[in-house]
Amino acid sequence: MNEPEIQLHDKTFVPYIHREEISQAIKKLANRINEDFEGQEVILLGILDGAFMVLSDLVKNLSVNCYIDFVKFKSYVGQQSTGKGKQLLGASLDLKDKNVIIVEDIIDTGHTLTELRAVLAGFQPKSLGVLTLLIKEEVFKNKFPVNYSGISIDNKFVVGYGMDYDGLGRHIPDIYVLKDPS
Ligand code: HPA
Ligand code: MG
């Protein structure tokens, strides 16, 4: 790739995964969903903020009918006392007896997703799958099955295509990685 380095806040990032490779990975994931759920409906549940680009490109390649919802899954703030519980914000669809696929930009430790899966299972979906564009296998260590996994990456910090460094970088169509100190 010829794209130059980019600067976000105090850090420099270099090109890592080109938009063409991202596009191919997304198409493959969409095709697998099309096969697995042929003739059925699915609910795609995008996890904000990072998953907005993955979800928007994914659905353009789907032939199955799908509902789309976005949620945030955040630690309690304000009056709630500190504790490790998180709350689900923004969910509007009834998940009971539905095929639900959680859509993520990246899985690293998988800790948040472990909690989220438990919360969503409480809504008694017919099936509950997980889709991610990127996965850091080395830190995730197969804590639970990831049904639709796009590209496996090293344990390095990346930005772009929805992913941020302290709020910046989400709009970039390619994925960049933190430049090694030189
Ligand atoms: N970049 C941005 N957000 C993230 C990452 C990353 O590498 N891992 C988990 N969230
Ligand atoms: Mg982030």
Side-chain angles (χ1 to χ4, degrees):
M1 284 193 293
N2 294 316
E3 287 88 351
E5 299 177 349
I6 56 165
Q7 185 76 24
L8 301 172
H9 299 296
D10 58 335
K11 301 215 184 303
T12 305
F13 295 83
V14 294
Y16 191 48
I17 304 173
H18 190 268
R19 65 195 74 181
E20 194 50 46
E21 188 180 341
I22 297 170
S23 171
Q24 292 306 318
I26 296 271
K27 279 182 188 149
K28 277 189 195 163
L29 295 172
N31 287 339
R32 289 186 41 217
I33 292 174
N34 290 335
E35 286 169 15
D36 291 352
F37 294 96
E38 193 184 347
Q40 302 180 63
E41 290 176 350
V42 296
I43 295 182
L44 298 168
L45 201 61
I47 310 306
L48 292 174
D49 297 316
F52 74 97
M53 272 208 202
V54 176
L55 188 38
S56 86
D57 284 342
L58 182 75
V59 296
K60 292 174 210 163
N61 293 283
L62 286 185
S63 55
V64 293
N65 281 340
C66 61
Y67 296 91
I68 297 170
D69 208 352
F70 284 98
V71 294
K72 287 204 183 210
F73 192 55
K74 292 275 179 204
S75 297
Y76 288 100
V77 287
Q79 298 92 330
Q80 295 283 346
S81 61
T82 54
K84 78 183 216 62
K86 289 195 172 68
Q87 66 184 153
L88 191 65
L89 300 173
S92 57
L93 294 171
D94 182 7
L95 307 184
K96 188 166 164 51
D97 299 327
K98 301 288 183 1
N99 296 308
V100 178
I101 301 175
I102 300 168
V103 177
E104 275 282 16
D105 47 356
I106 184 165
I107 295 179
D108 59 17
T109 64
H111 289 144
T112 300
L113 254 185
T114 300
E115 280 184 64
L116 178 62
R117 285 170 79 246
V119 169
L120 294 176
F123 292 100
Q124 299 176 279
K126 178 178 175 187
S127 63
L128 182 60
V130 175
L131 178 149
T132 187
L133 174 63
L134 302 184
I135 188 162
K136 298 181 184 174
E137 310 252 16
E138 193 186 314
V139 273
F140 176 58
K141 298 195 172 85
N142 283 311
K143 292 188 183 72
F144 50 82
V146 176
N147 314 74
Y148 305 97
S149 175
I151 303 169
S152 176
I153 65 166
D154 291 340
N155 184 20
K156 291 182 175 170
F157 191 76
V158 295
V159 295
Y161 201 74
M163 293 169 286
D164 72 305
Y165 166 51
D166 200 10
L168 292 181
R170 295 192 195 279
H171 71 287
I172 301 166
D174 306 291
I175 293 171
Y176 283 68
V177 66
L178 189 61
K179 188 180 181 182
D180 288 327
S182 50

